[in-house]
Amino acid sequence: MQCLIMGKRDSENLCYIDASNDALLFIARSASKAIEARATCPLELFEEYECDGTASTSTSVSSAAGGGTLKFCVNLRLLLDCLHIFGTSLD
């Protein structure tokens, strides 16, 4: 996902996140929508994980079998900076 933010303004770099009972799905697209990066974090990666599908009115919620899905977006550069706190695969 890092390659999608090279040379872009922060306002152009959004990562869409779907949080369900089973996993977190991260989706980032290039500005031209020619490149799309997807990453899934299954619930097994977490010590504790809970998603009940409830949210405020400003967050999109869609019903799914077995619970809801929270859909929201965050700044991609900020998300990657936060994830780098835990180290990179090259460390």
Side-chain angles (χ1 to χ4, degrees):
M1 290 190 185
Q2 183 75 33
C3 67
L4 295 174
I5 63 173
M6 298 297 191
K8 302 280 192 235
R9 292 189 309 264
D10 282 343
S11 62
E12 296 175 355
N13 301 312
L14 295 177
C15 181
Y16 299 90
I17 302 171
D18 293 354
S20 68
N21 290 336
D22 302 326
L24 291 173
L25 173 63
F26 299 89
I27 304 168
R29 294 182 187 96
S30 64
S32 66
K33 297 186 180 178
I35 299 172
E36 180 176 284
R38 289 177 171 252
T40 302
C41 292
L43 62 98
E44 293 83 15
L45 292 178
F46 302 95
E47 271 186 42
E48 293 184 36
Y49 181 87
E50 183 177 330
C51 179
D52 64 5
T54 59
S56 66
T57 57
S58 63
T59 306
S60 171
V61 179
S62 63
S63 295
T69 301
L70 297 175
K71 296 179 182 235
F72 57 97
C73 65
V74 296
N75 180 286
L76 181 58
R77 185 178 305 273
L78 180 61
L79 175 65
L80 291 175
D81 287 346
C82 290
L83 291 173
H84 281 137
I85 292 171
F86 299 107
T88 64
S89 61
L90 301 176
D91 291 341

